[in-house]
């Protein structure tokens, strides 16, 4: 917990006063990316033209993959990601930019490689909203095509492109939707730290996401990819160049997830303030901690799979081509070994966000703190042992199916802990129906439906009918959209007053909540029925008798889109024009992030606080305040000694 | 440690509430019991016969039963949670000017332990039931890989005739974007329509020629992935005559959505006469001589006749011939 120790030669730097365009930033990054792409493309053609071809797709993918690779490197170089690294190599002192970066005024810092975790959090927040809305537009396009049982607006190729872009955008970009904005912003504050462990890794983690976003979208220029977000082989090797964008972008996001996870784990372990024992860690930090382990342990597997698939497509390796000694099962295994933890990477942060919200607006301590923490860790641990339920009918390891059925069903026990904690907290509470609380309640409702449908899917015999059908689709939209995104929205309404110092309009917020809740359910509940009636995923043609339900779903989804527009309108108007100030602690919340002033100072705390109590001691008049924010000099080190003996 | 699972077991009544605290548990239990009983009875007696995938085959009937059992198990859980939250919203909402806090309950060991034991028992029940229902009906219609451990009873011989009780073997071949069905017991006769006899144990051997497909005979409750070069076995016994849908259930390229066909379940005698007549026609065309009765790879480097001009069936050539037209260079 050596909180204030900096690297030995670190020298504080003062904020630069140069105008934006004279410094490195997004504009130089873009220039680097464009130059890198053309250099890589030329190099690829130089190395491989004429003789190196992907035998299944008859296309030469080397220039494109090298273009993407050098564009990414150029983007990072142009942003100035490696400046300090090169400087240190040249013998210059290692600069400590964090405080200066955070203190900089104006909006310029959000378009630059900056190291303050709060700046990175806000970059993530707006990035994620942008990625989410882009993915949502693809969803609208899918539902438009499904208005009629045969293809009418898009051709089959275009339809699959849209399906793939939607699925991949949501699954890969949304993996950081909570850990990015709220985890990076509030994680360090909630544990009483002035900084994160690895600010450069954290910022790099963010700046890889726009690269992944653009590369994924660039697949459209090459006709998209026909595999959906799973990228199954050997279809992926057979696909045209658009496929490279999928593997390259997903691989970049795997790097981003790994870096963000490492930083979060090290920060939580090493940067807790004195007295912030594991038993006082806010539940949101527990969820970030658990998710970070999932990211660090699973994302590298994805990176490996993406890399192997790219070499299959470029250097003619045959990891995944059955006819040449590879195995299509290998890809399925690698992908789902990442892919199942991935869905908990998406679900767990939601648990964390709503645990915070529920305690504050019930005005009660979180019920069963240890059960909640055990639930977070239990879900994380078990999620590594269930991946083969995605392959129940595939014929791989068929005798192991009862085991994977058991592990899958076991996950509902720690998930049940989260419900126990929520329900216990509501018992005899003083419930305030603020907007974040409404989203938390909707989370419990949606995730319950998602979870129970998961029990049907885990049962191998029942799964025979449900596998790969719209039933699965409805199931994971209920857990991810209905769980994670509802929690994300709740988090925005809850935390934006602290992050930006402004409050979102309440009336519009309520309209947004109710339209989103009603039309979310109206969109996705019928999909369970469609799946059970025999509609497979990712088809543009379906039986005529399913048209009424499909049209209902499509129209509901448009209404859901309008609800998102209401949200967007609210965010834009509230942050740019109405600017209703909200200072301090509007909810009288106990947790540490509400004790610091708004806007949060660049170093969060003047002095390292000493944590005196759990953040959830509502209703207990004898409970001490959560922390002493201004401990006298010398107290921190002695409290640290006491805390380590368990006496603080 | 101030927070933990051991807290005040009985919360003090809400300040200012006045009067006796209502017996929340009893109210909740009564409402839960009535609603759950109603939901379960309706599920079992009204909904179950209409549940997918119907009862056209043994595996479909089994899945319908499993689905109903899981729904009967799941409804009380869903109702318990939703009812509790609805009750909490009504009973414990704060008044407009209420600035007070709730009682400082940190946890309740008995409640937590009861919850954990209950959910664990439900999970173990679901696991035991699911495993039984998977193993006893020979894989419940799912793909079991090349060497199935849970077999359907019945003997296999190299020919098939109605009334003998033999298993009928059907090879299902997926390719972009069509299904072909071959009957090794009829000399490797192949068809683009799936015909099946009723009352006969059927053994599907599912494979693919190119990418991963998935064979889904919806009304039969059969689903098995088709991996290139892999034999994926699935069993069922059809017990109703009629038409059923066959769809591809794994994204396999642009025409995945159009990769469906229909199958017919007919009486064994009618099936035998259909199969014999198609076999005779294909034998006359020379197709049966060109192709082996059964193979996992229909590859021109393995089977020399492929890639030449094979006779056409139903407007297209046989499974392998369609995939490797004579003009296509041999690039496996």
């Amino acid at each position: 917990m050596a909180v204030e120790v900096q690297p030995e030669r670190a020298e504080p730097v003062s904020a630069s006063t140069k105008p934006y365009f004279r410094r490195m930033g997004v504009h130089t990054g873009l220039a680097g990316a464009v130059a890198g792409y053309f250099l890589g493309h030329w190099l690829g053609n130089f190395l491989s033209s004429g003789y190196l071809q992907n035998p299944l797709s008859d296309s030469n993918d080397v220039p494109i993959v090298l273009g993407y690779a050098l564009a990414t490197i150029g983007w990072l170089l142009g942003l100035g990601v490696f400046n300090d690294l090169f400087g240190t190599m040249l013998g210059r002192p290692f600069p400590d930019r964090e405080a200066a970066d955070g203190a900089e005024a104006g909006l310029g810092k959000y378009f630059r490689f900056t190291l303050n975790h709060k700046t990175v959090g806000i970059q993530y927040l707006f990035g994620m909203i942008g990625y989410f809305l882009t993915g949502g537009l693809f969803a609208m396009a899918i539902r438009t095509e499904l208005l009629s049982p045969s293809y009418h607006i898009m051709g089959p190729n275009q339809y699959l492109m849209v399906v793939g872009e939607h699925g991949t955008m949501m699954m890969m970009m949304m993996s950081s939707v909570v850990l990015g904005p709220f985890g990076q912003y509030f994680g360090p504050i909630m544990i009483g730290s002035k900084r994160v462990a690895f600010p450069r890794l954290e910022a790099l983690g963010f700046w890889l996401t726009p690269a992944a976003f653009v590369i994924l979208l660039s697949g459209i220029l090459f006709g998209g990819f026909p595999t959906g977000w799973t990228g199954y082989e050997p279809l992926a090797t057979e696909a045209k160049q658009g496929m490279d964008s999928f593997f390259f972008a997903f691989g970049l996001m795997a790097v981003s997830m790994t870096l963000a996870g490492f930083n979060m784990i090290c920060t939580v372990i090493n940067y807790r303030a004195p007295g912030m024992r594991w038993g006082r860690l806010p539940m949101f930090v527990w969820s970030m901690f658990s998710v970070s382990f999932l990211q660090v342990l699973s994302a590298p597997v994805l990176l490996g799979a993406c890399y192997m698939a790219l070499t299959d497509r470029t250097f003619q390796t045959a990891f995944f081509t059955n006819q040449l000694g590879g195995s299509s099962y290998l890809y399925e295994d690698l992908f789902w070994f990442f892919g199942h933890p991935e869905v908990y990477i998406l679900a767990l942060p939601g648990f964390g966000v709503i645990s915070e919200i529920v305690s504050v607006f019930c005005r009660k301590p979180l019920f069963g703190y240890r059960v909640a923490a055990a639930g977070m860790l239990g879900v994380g641990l078990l999620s590594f042992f269930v991946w083969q339920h995605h392959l129940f009918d595939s014929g791989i390891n068929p005798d192991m199916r009862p085991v994977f059925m058991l592990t899958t069903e076991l996950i509902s026990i720690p998930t049940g802990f989260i419900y126990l904690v929520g329900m216990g907290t509501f018992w005899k509470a003083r419930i305030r129906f603020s907007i974040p609380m409404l989203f938390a309640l909707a989370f419990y409702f949606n995730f319950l439906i998602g979870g129970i449908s998961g029990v049907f899917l885990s049962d191998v015999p029942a799964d025979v009918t449900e596998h790969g059908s719209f039933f699965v689709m409805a199931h994971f939209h209920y857990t991810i959209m209905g769980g994670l995104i509802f929690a994300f929205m709740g988090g925005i309404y809850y935390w934006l007053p602290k992050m930006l110092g402004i409050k979102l309009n309440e009336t519009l917020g309520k309209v947004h909540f109710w339209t989103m809740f009603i039309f979310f359910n109206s969109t996705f509940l019928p999909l369970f029925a469609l799946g059970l009636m025999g509609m497979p995923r990712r088809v543009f043609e379906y039986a005529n008798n399913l048209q009424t339900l499909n049209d209902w779903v499509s129209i509901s989804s448009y209404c859901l889109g309008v609800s998102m527009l209401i949200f967007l309108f609210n965010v834009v108007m509230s942050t740019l024009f109405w600017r209703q100030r909200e200072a301090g602690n509007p909810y009288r919340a106990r947790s540490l992030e509400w004790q610091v002033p708004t806007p949060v100072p660049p170093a969060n705390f003047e002095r390292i606080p000493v944590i005196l109590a759990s953040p959830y001691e509502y209703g207990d008049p004898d409970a001490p305040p959560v922390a002493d924010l201004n401990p006298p000099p010398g107290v921190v080190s002695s409290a640290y000694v006491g805390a380590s003996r368990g006496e603080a | 440690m101030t927070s933990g699972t051991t807290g005040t077991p009985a919360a003090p009544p809400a300040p200012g509430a006045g009067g006796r605290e209502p017996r929340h548990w009893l109210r909740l239990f009564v409402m839960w019991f009535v609603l759950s009983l109603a939901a379960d009875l309706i599920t079992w007696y009204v909904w179950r016969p209409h549940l997918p995938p119907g009862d056209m085959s043994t595996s479909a009937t089994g899945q319908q039963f499993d689905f109903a059992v899981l729904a009967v198990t799941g409804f009380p859980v869903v109702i318990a949670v939703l009812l509790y939250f609805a009750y909490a919203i009504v009973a414990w909402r704060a008044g407009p000017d209420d600035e007070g806090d709730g009682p400082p309950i940190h946890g309740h060991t008995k409640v937590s332990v009861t919850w954990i034991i209950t959910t664990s028992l439900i999970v173990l029940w679901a696991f035991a039931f699911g495993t039984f229902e998977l193993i006893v009906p020979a894989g419940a219609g799912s793909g079991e890989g090349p060497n199935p451990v849970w077999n359907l009873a019945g003997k296999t011989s190299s020919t098939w005739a109605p009334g003998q009780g033999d298993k009928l073997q059907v090879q299902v071949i997926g390719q972009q974007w069509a299904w072909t069905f071959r009957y090794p017991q009829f000399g490797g006769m192949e068809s683009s329509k799936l015909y099946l006899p009723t009352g006969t144990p059927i053994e599907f051997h599912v494979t693919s020629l190119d990418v991963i497909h998935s064979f889904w005979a919806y009304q039969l409750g059969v689903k098995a992935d088709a991996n290139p070069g892999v034999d994926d076995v699935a069993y069922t016994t059809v017990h109703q005559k009629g038409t059923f849908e066959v769809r591809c259930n794994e994204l396999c390229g642009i025409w995945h959505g159009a990769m469906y066909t229909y199958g017919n379940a007919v009486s064994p005698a009618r099936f035998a006469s259909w199969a014999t007549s198609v076999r005779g026609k294909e034998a006359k065309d020379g197709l049966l001589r060109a192709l082996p009765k059964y193979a996992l790879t229909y590859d021109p480097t393995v089977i020399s006749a492929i890639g030449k001009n094979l006779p056409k069936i139903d407007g297209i050539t046989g499974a392998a011939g369609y995939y490797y037209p004579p003009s296509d260079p041999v690039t496996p």
Side-chain angles (χ1 to χ4, degrees):
Chain A
M1 296 191 206
V3 189
E4 282 176 301
V5 174
Q6 300 287 353
E8 249 176 60
R9 288 185 303 149
E11 284 192 358
V13 290
S14 50
S16 167
T17 49
K18 277 194 244 170
Y20 180 80
F21 285 104
R22 302 275 307 277
R23 298 172 64 189
M24 287 174 123
V26 171
H27 56 293
T28 48
L30 282 176
V34 172
Y37 183 83
F38 284 114
L39 182 66
H41 199 101
W42 170 80
L43 191 66
N45 276 329
F46 179 74
L47 292 174
S48 72
S49 76
Y51 64 94
L52 198 54
Q53 287 205 333
N54 176 346
L56 287 184
S57 70
D58 289 332
S59 64
N60 185 350
D61 295 72
V62 177
I64 290 160
V65 174
L66 271 181
Y68 285 147
L70 293 196
T72 310
I73 292 170
W75 164 246
L76 298 178
L77 279 173
L79 277 168
V81 172
F82 305 115
N83 286 1
D84 294 339
L85 184 73
F86 294 146
T88 320
M89 284 175 174
L90 296 172
R92 293 198 199 114
F94 195 71
D96 172 19
R97 308 183 176 282
E98 250 192 291
D101 277 353
E104 201 181 308
L107 292 176
K109 65 178 171 181
Y110 297 112
F111 299 94
R112 199 180 294 129
F113 183 74
T114 47
L115 300 187
N116 195 286
H117 67 90
K118 292 178 291 298
T119 316
V120 176
I122 288 172
Q123 288 169 337
Y124 259 119
L125 177 67
F126 286 96
M128 286 298 148
I129 292 177
Y131 308 147
F132 175 71
L133 294 177
T134 313
L137 284 179
F138 286 116
M140 300 286 106
I142 295 174
R143 286 316 318 178
T144 308
E145 172 56 43
L146 291 180
L147 276 168
S148 91
S150 181
Y151 69 93
H152 60 130
I153 290 180
M154 289 176 252
N157 199 17
Q158 214 175 1
Y159 177 74
L160 282 189
M161 175 185 92
V162 169
V163 167
E165 291 282 347
H166 165 73
T168 316
M169 186 68 72
M170 291 302 196
M171 292 304 276
M172 85 179 202
M173 305 308 284
M174 290 303 107
S175 56
S176 308
V177 77
V178 168
L179 189 132
F182 305 137
Q184 310 289 12
Y185 196 103
F186 290 111
I189 304 180
M190 283 170 133
I191 59 171
S193 168
K194 290 186 172 187
R195 51 171 296 188
V196 293
F198 301 116
R200 282 170 185 79
L201 291 191
E202 182 198 43
L204 173 58
F206 168 74
W207 284 107
L208 286 174
T209 64
F213 175 73
V214 172
I215 290 177
L216 181 69
L217 285 181
S218 76
I220 295 173
L221 302 175
F222 300 104
F225 47 92
T227 60
W229 85 280
T230 46
Y232 270 11
E233 297 281 359
L235 179 62
T237 305
E238 189 192 77
K240 299 286 182 195
Q241 284 104 324
M243 201 66 225
D244 299 321
S245 69
F246 168 86
F247 284 122
F248 203 92
F250 225 156
L252 276 187
M253 273 311 283
V255 176
S256 163
M257 279 193 244
T258 315
L259 298 178
F262 263 126
N263 176 49
M264 189 57 72
I265 291 173
C266 296
T267 306
V268 172
I269 291 179
N270 297 305
Y271 283 73
R272 280 169 295 132
M276 179 52 83
R277 302 178 311 216
W278 292 102
R280 286 175 180 165
L281 211 58
M283 209 39 68
F284 178 68
V285 179
W286 271 115
S287 76
M288 290 297 107
F289 191 61
S290 183
V291 163
S292 300
F293 272 103
L294 296 189
Q295 297 195 338
V296 166
L297 294 175
S298 72
V301 180
L302 169 73
L303 181 60
C306 289
Y307 185 75
M308 288 154 86
L310 280 178
T311 57
D312 269 15
R313 292 181 56 80
T314 50
F315 309 141
Q316 300 195 23
T317 54
F319 293 111
F320 305 129
T321 311
N322 297 43
Q323 294 93 325
L324 300 173
S327 168
S328 50
Y329 284 140
L330 175 62
Y331 180 84
E332 291 184 318
D333 254 347
L334 287 173
F335 183 81
W336 287 115
F337 188 82
F338 153 78
H340 204 84
E342 154 81 357
V343 303
Y344 286 96
I345 290 172
L346 294 167
L348 269 175
F351 296 173
V353 173
I354 51 140
S355 299
E356 296 295 321
I357 291 174
V358 159
S359 175
V360 170
F361 295 106
C362 282
R363 307 303 302 175
K364 271 190 69 198
L366 204 60
F367 182 91
Y369 176 89
R370 287 184 194 178
V371 178
M376 303 279 179
L377 296 180
V379 169
L381 184 70
L382 276 174
S383 69
F384 280 101
F385 298 93
V386 301
W387 80 96
Q388 286 227 343
H389 65 214
H390 297 273
L391 308 173
F392 270 162
D393 299 324
S394 73
I396 182 173
N397 281 347
D399 339 346
M400 290 288 281
R401 285 178 296 174
V403 178
F404 283 99
M405 175 158 43
L406 176 64
T407 52
T408 307
E409 283 162 354
L410 281 179
I411 279 207
S412 53
I413 298 176
T415 312
F417 290 4
I418 308 297
Y419 272 85
L420 171 69
V421 171
M423 291 161 77
T425 310
F426 272 78
W427 178 257
K428 293 184 179 167
R430 299 287 191 86
I431 305 167
R432 269 80 162 167
F433 293 100
S434 62
I435 297 173
M437 187 62 157
L438 292 175
F439 276 104
L441 281 165
F443 174 97
Y444 285 118
F445 180 85
N446 297 338
F447 204 87
L448 181 69
I449 297 177
I452 286 288
S453 58
V455 175
F456 288 80
L457 286 160
S458 70
D459 183 88
V460 184
D463 181 60
V464 173
T465 288
E466 295 147 5
H467 199 101
S469 73
F470 262 46
F471 189 92
V472 181
M473 231 262 287
H475 158 72
F476 68 73
H477 277 88
Y478 258 92
T479 54
I480 294 170
M481 171 94 188
L484 174 78
I485 297 299
F486 272 75
F488 173 61
M489 291 295 175
I492 289 182
Y493 284 96
Y494 179 63
W495 274 316
L496 216 59
K498 181 54 74 181
M499 294 174 90
L500 301 180
I502 58 103
K503 200 176 140 188
L504 293 180
N505 181 292
E506 206 147 323
T507 314
L508 274 180
K510 288 214 160 128
V511 174
H512 167 220
F513 167 75
W514 282 110
T515 47
M516 182 166 162
F517 179 66
I518 291 167
F519 291 118
F520 165 78
N521 280 288
S522 157
T523 303
F524 290 101
L525 210 53
L527 296 187
F528 285 115
L530 280 173
L532 290 177
M533 287 156 88
M535 182 158 168
R537 289 169 69 181
R538 298 153 165 173
V539 295
F540 54 86
E541 291 203 10
Y542 54 83
N544 275 325
N545 60 336
L546 301 180
Q547 187 174 7
T548 315
L549 263 182
N550 265 303
D551 288 356
W552 172 278
V553 169
S554 291
I555 291 165
S556 300
S557 78
Y558 298 145
C559 298
L560 187 59
V562 170
S563 170
M564 291 299 158
L565 287 182
I566 296 173
F567 164 73
L568 190 66
F569 178 74
N570 194 358
V571 169
V572 171
M573 295 306 283
S574 295
T575 51
L576 295 183
F577 301 105
W578 299 332
R579 298 195 67 80
Q580 193 186 346
R581 299 273 166 194
E582 186 90 88
N585 188 353
Y587 319 121
R588 296 183 297 119
R590 276 183 58 91
S591 55
L592 204 47
E593 81 270 24
W594 292 106
Q595 314 309 319
V596 296
T598 308
V600 185
N604 304 343
F605 304 97
E606 251 174 77
R607 320 179 83 103
I608 299 299
V610 173
I611 311 298
L612 303 174
S614 142
Y616 302 119
E617 301 295 337
Y618 296 102
D620 182 357
D622 305 328
V626 69
D628 183 355
L629 289 180
N630 216 349
V635 165
V636 166
S637 52
S638 60
Y640 166 63
V641 173
S644 67
R645 289 200 209 111
E647 323 167 339
Chain B
M1 179 92 201
T2 45
S3 62
T5 47
T6 51
T8 27
R20 242 177 95 241
E21 181 79 9
R23 283 189 284 176
H24 300 299
W25 280 119
L26 186 69
R27 285 182 182 178
L28 280 167
F29 179 78
V30 170
M31 286 190 280
W32 170 78
F33 186 80
V34 172
L35 287 173
S36 301
L37 190 69
D40 277 357
L41 288 175
I42 291 172
T43 304
W44 194 256
Y45 290 106
V46 181
W47 199 21
R48 184 168 62 110
H50 305 288
L51 276 172
D55 54 355
M56 197 170 170
S57 73
T58 47
S59 42
T61 311
Q63 286 161 30
Q64 195 181 45
F65 174 74
D66 299 340
F67 206 89
V69 169
L70 288 173
V72 165
T73 312
F75 267 122
V77 179
V78 174
I79 289 171
V81 175
L82 291 186
L83 180 69
Y84 179 86
F85 276 112
Y87 187 87
I89 288 172
V90 174
W92 298 312
R93 61 187 310 163
D97 303 318
D98 191 350
E99 293 287 306
D101 286 356
I105 307 169
H106 288 98
H108 194 299
T109 313
K110 222 192 267 177
V111 170
S112 300
V113 169
T114 313
W115 175 270
I116 293 169
I117 290 178
T118 313
T119 49
S120 305
L121 286 178
I122 296 172
V123 161
L124 289 179
W125 150 248
F127 164 66
F129 174 73
T131 307
F132 180 84
E133 285 290 306
L134 171 68
I135 293 176
V136 173
S142 64
E144 292 198 74
N147 306 301
V149 283
W150 305 306
N151 280 295
L152 200 59
K155 57 186 187 338
T156 314
S157 43
S158 58
T159 56
W160 187 90
Q164 308 284 314
D166 287 356
K167 284 187 212 171
L168 177 74
Q169 295 174 315
V170 182
Q171 188 181 26
V172 179
I173 302 170
Q175 67 189 79
Q176 286 170 328
W177 290 273
W179 293 108
T180 310
F181 307 96
R182 306 192 78 216
Y183 296 81
Q185 288 155 324
F186 288 86
M189 174 272 282
E190 68 182 36
S191 159
S192 59
K193 275 255 164 62
L194 178 57
Y195 275 82
L196 295 175
T198 52
T200 306
I202 291 163
E203 185 179 298
F204 291 107
H205 292 261
V206 182
T207 191
S208 161
L209 298 182
D210 35 47
V211 301
I212 303 178
H213 303 271
S214 186
F215 169 66
W216 184 15
Y218 170 66
Q219 282 86 346
L220 303 188
V222 172
K223 194 175 278 168
D225 278 11
N227 274 265
V230 178
D231 182 24
D232 195 7
V233 177
Y235 299 104
T236 194
T237 305
V238 189
H239 51 57
Q240 267 180 24
K241 288 179 207 164
T243 317
F244 54 89
E245 282 168 47
V246 173
R247 288 211 72 145
C248 178
N249 193 57
E250 185 58 67
L251 184 51
C252 57
I254 57 169
W255 292 103
H256 164 61
M259 187 169 164
Y260 59 86
T261 179
Y262 295 94
N264 277 301
V266 295
S267 70
R270 225 182 119 203
F271 170 77
S273 71
W274 169 80
T276 318
S277 79
V278 178
R279 179 189 187 166
K281 181 174 169 292
E282 289 180 8
K284 210 164 68 192
D285 290 345
L287 183 77
L288 298 190
R289 228 178 314 116
L291 292 176
K293 281 185 192 172
Y294 173 86
L296 266 185
T297 312
Y298 293 88
D299 188 303
T301 56
V302 181
I303 302 167
S304 58
I306 292 172
K308 315 264 162 46
N309 284 312
L310 286 178
K312 293 198 173 184
I313 305 171
D314 299 341
I316 60 169
T317 55
Y322 177 61
Y323 186 57
Y324 297 110
S327 59
D328 197 32
V330 179
T331 48

